[in-house]
Amino acid sequence: MMDVAVFPNLSPALAEIVLAVGAMLLLVFGVIRGERSTRTVTVLAVLLLIVAIVIVAAVSPAATTFGGSFKLDAFARFMKIAALAGSGFAISMSVTYSRREGFERFEYPVLILIGTIGMLLMISASDLISLYLGLELQSLAAYVVAAIHRDNARSTEAGLKYFVLGALSSGMLLYGASLVYGFTGHTQFDGIASMLVHGRSLGLVIGLVFLLAGVAFKISAVPFHMWTPDVYEGAPTAVTAFFASAPKLAAMALLVRVVEEAFRPITADWQQVIVFISVCSMVLGSFAAIGQRNIKRLMAYSSIGHMGYALVGLSAGSAQGVQGVILYMVIYMSMTLGAFACILSMRRNGEMVEDVASLAGLARSQPLVAFVFAALMFSLAGIPPLAGFFAKYYVFLAAIQANLFTLAVIGVLSSVVGAFYYLRIVKIMYFDEPEHAFEPAPVELRAVLGLSGIFALFFLFFMSPLVVAAGIAAKSFF
């Protein structure tokens, strides 16, 4: 008779289990009811994400399961709650858009749920194998979601490009993981770290570089950013909003855990790689976005730049740096969701418009929307006292404390250059001759835009508990 003790403690993974069971049940329900079930499935999917947030918040941290391959610590709990919230808002923002654009399908929220399970696994992964499982689960759902509007050639092209380049990055990551395992004899992060205390070989460093390259693809950091502008532009706008929010946060959390937990004994080696990627991302994101006329491509290059700023904090290799990364990603996700809520509202004569010039005169036709969108643009540019300023402040401060003065200076200069294209959007909304007004935004987009605007404008008044929580999460590695 099998001993019950062999079964692992599943409470740390309870949120993932609930989401997996719920996603399967919703899929069966959708298949039985057909397309009529889309709105019901969407509502239930959002409710499932809320339940998952409650479960993650309720389960005690500092727990592991599956032989140490899955870890729920303060860092994982903080980032999981943020990722779940981002996925919930992304599903909500797609309701009216998907119906108007003709791809309202019950599979969409189910795929988002499956992708979210992968994100949660990524955040808690403490083993190279569980890392890859989570990454691939999230990626496979993302490939399908990118091409979900199968009657649209641009959407299909975006999904194909994402799949091909994603397969390449997965191969690089697997090759790096195999080298790390070969030279350490461990797949668990703690085991890898214990071996690195005694020194490292050239082959292991090469494996580390390939591993970081695979993860860098997921956060669209230079030089693994090539998929981002085309996929952002080609995928349905609601899907782009999802790609720009929760998956980026989860991938960054995965990168933080890999370098701080598995490779901390050789910080000097991975620090050089992270600094290089950070500088390239900040510079390319700042300059390449200047010439963009499609607002989704502009947001793609903006995303690349912001990942570079977040990596400035990680480059410090300190608790303050990890705290800065956590704060940066949460603030960035909030600002991005608000910006895409406005982009999703850019609808005129029954058609979506995506060129920046279409925002001309928005301040006269929809002054409140223009004001909030302008505040978000100022925040993304890092103008004080908005939320984006504090995000950059904490990562640059961590870099300075780690004596990375050149990196901090490059970050500040890149931020000044990047402010140009954000301010150009504000100038177009307030000073250009107005075009025809946009159609009224659906209530869910107004809600997301309002919440994001409040977060950006009044961050100073409620930043203290968020900073404290991020600090506690960062100490999980130190």
Side-chain angles (χ1 to χ4, degrees):
M1 185 175 179
M2 184 176 291
D3 188 358
V4 177
V6 301
F7 290 102
N9 173 26
L10 297 180
S11 60
L14 185 58
E16 288 83 349
I17 294 170
V18 169
L19 283 180
V21 173
M24 294 302 101
L25 291 176
L26 289 180
L27 183 61
V28 172
F29 175 74
V31 170
I32 294 173
R33 290 291 305 275
E35 298 302 330
R36 296 173 299 168
S37 64
T38 301
R39 295 190 184 183
T40 304
V41 171
T42 301
V43 172
L44 291 176
V46 174
L47 290 176
L48 264 177
L49 291 170
I50 295 173
V51 170
I53 290 175
V54 173
I55 292 173
V56 171
V59 175
S60 176
T64 61
T65 187
F66 303 117
S69 298
F70 186 96
K71 182 176 291 186
L72 181 63
D73 51 14
F75 174 79
R77 182 161 70 172
F78 187 98
M79 300 302 274
K80 281 184 176 183
I81 291 173
L84 287 164
S87 295
F89 282 119
I91 292 176
S92 302
M93 291 165 61
S94 69
V95 175
T96 303
Y97 174 85
S98 60
R99 185 177 68 252
R100 288 175 172 176
E101 294 299 305
F103 70 95
E104 187 180 30
R105 297 185 179 91
F106 71 86
E107 294 96 334
Y108 179 75
V110 174
L111 286 166
I112 298 293
L113 286 179
I114 295 172
T116 304
I117 298 169
M119 286 186 265
L120 301 187
L121 289 174
M122 289 162 57
I123 294 171
S124 284
S126 191
D127 183 281
L128 292 175
I129 298 173
S130 57
L131 175 156
Y132 182 71
L133 288 174
L135 200 65
E136 283 304 292
L137 182 59
Q138 185 265 325
S139 297
L140 288 171
Y143 300 150
V144 181
V145 167
I148 195 162
H149 195 184
R150 54 178 177 261
D151 297 327
N152 186 298
R154 293 172 61 198
S155 176
T156 306
E157 180 185 354
L160 185 59
K161 286 180 178 178
Y162 193 21
F163 173 73
V164 172
L165 294 173
L168 174 63
S169 73
S170 294
M172 296 172 67
L173 186 142
L174 278 176
Y175 182 63
S178 66
L179 285 175
V180 171
Y181 172 68
F183 283 95
T184 63
H186 292 275
T187 58
Q188 288 196 359
F189 294 168
D190 292 340
I192 294 171
S194 65
M195 293 298 295
L196 293 180
V197 171
H198 307 294
R200 88 294 189 273
S201 62
L202 177 61
L204 186 136
V205 174
I206 294 173
L208 170 62
V209 171
F210 274 98
L211 192 66
L212 294 180
V215 180
F217 175 89
K218 300 302 177 183
I219 62 172
S220 65
V222 177
F224 310 101
H225 66 286
M226 64 288 293
W227 62 273
T228 315
D230 291 338
V231 173
Y232 271 45
E233 181 182 9
T237 308
V239 175
T240 306
F242 171 66
F243 285 171
S245 53
K248 290 287 181 72
L249 181 140
M252 186 63 75
L254 172 65
L255 180 59
V256 171
R257 188 175 292 281
V258 167
V259 299
E260 294 291 359
E261 197 168 285
F263 297 99
R264 181 152 188 79
I266 56 169
T267 297
D269 292 300
W270 61 256
Q271 194 176 44
Q272 298 176 49
V273 179
I274 298 298
V275 168
F276 171 77
I277 293 174
S278 174
V279 170
C280 293
S281 299
M282 289 188 295
V283 172
L284 183 133
S286 297
F287 284 94
I290 292 176
Q292 302 302 319
R293 295 295 177 261
N294 182 289
I295 195 164
K296 289 166 68 176
R297 290 187 73 89
L298 186 148
M299 291 300 294
Y301 285 108
S302 168
S303 172
I304 294 168
H306 282 286
M307 293 305 103
Y309 297 127
L311 290 174
V312 170
L314 184 58
S315 301
S318 62
Q320 292 79 12
V322 174
Q323 180 187 27
V325 174
I326 295 170
L327 288 170
Y328 200 102
M329 293 309 299
V330 171
I331 293 171
Y332 167 77
M333 186 179 73
S334 170
M335 296 185 298
T336 300
L337 286 171
F340 272 99
C342 186
I343 295 171
L344 282 162
S345 303
M346 294 172 60
R347 190 177 185 86
R348 183 180 292 138
N349 300 323
E351 297 289 336
M352 293 293 299
V353 290
E354 297 177 358
D355 53 308
V356 177
S358 297
L359 290 166
L362 184 64
R364 301 184 198 179
S365 58
Q366 297 182 10
L368 185 58
V369 172
F371 172 77
V372 176
F373 194 38
L376 292 172
M377 291 297 103
F378 280 122
S379 184
L380 285 167
I383 306 297
L386 302 175
F389 166 77
F390 292 100
K392 292 182 179 178
Y393 170 78
Y394 278 102
V395 293
F396 291 155
L397 180 63
I400 291 171
Q401 290 175 342
N403 296 322
L404 299 173
F405 301 109
T406 303
L407 179 62
V409 170
I410 294 174
V412 172
L413 294 176
S414 299
S415 187
V416 171
V417 174
F420 171 80
Y421 55 82
Y422 295 121
L423 298 180
R424 183 166 66 89
I425 293 176
V426 177
K427 174 258 181 187
I428 289 172
M429 289 193 299
Y430 278 87
F431 298 106
D432 283 14
E433 286 298 318
E435 296 191 13
H436 295 294
F438 294 139
E439 297 174 7
V443 62
E444 66 270 13
L445 296 182
R446 293 201 299 269
V448 173
L449 186 61
L451 290 172
S452 180
I454 291 170
F455 186 84
L457 286 166
F458 302 105
F459 180 77
L460 184 63
F461 297 100
F462 48 80
M463 65 179 287
S464 181
L466 188 62
V467 171
V468 171
I472 294 172
K475 289 178 182 177
S476 301
F477 304 110
F478 299 89

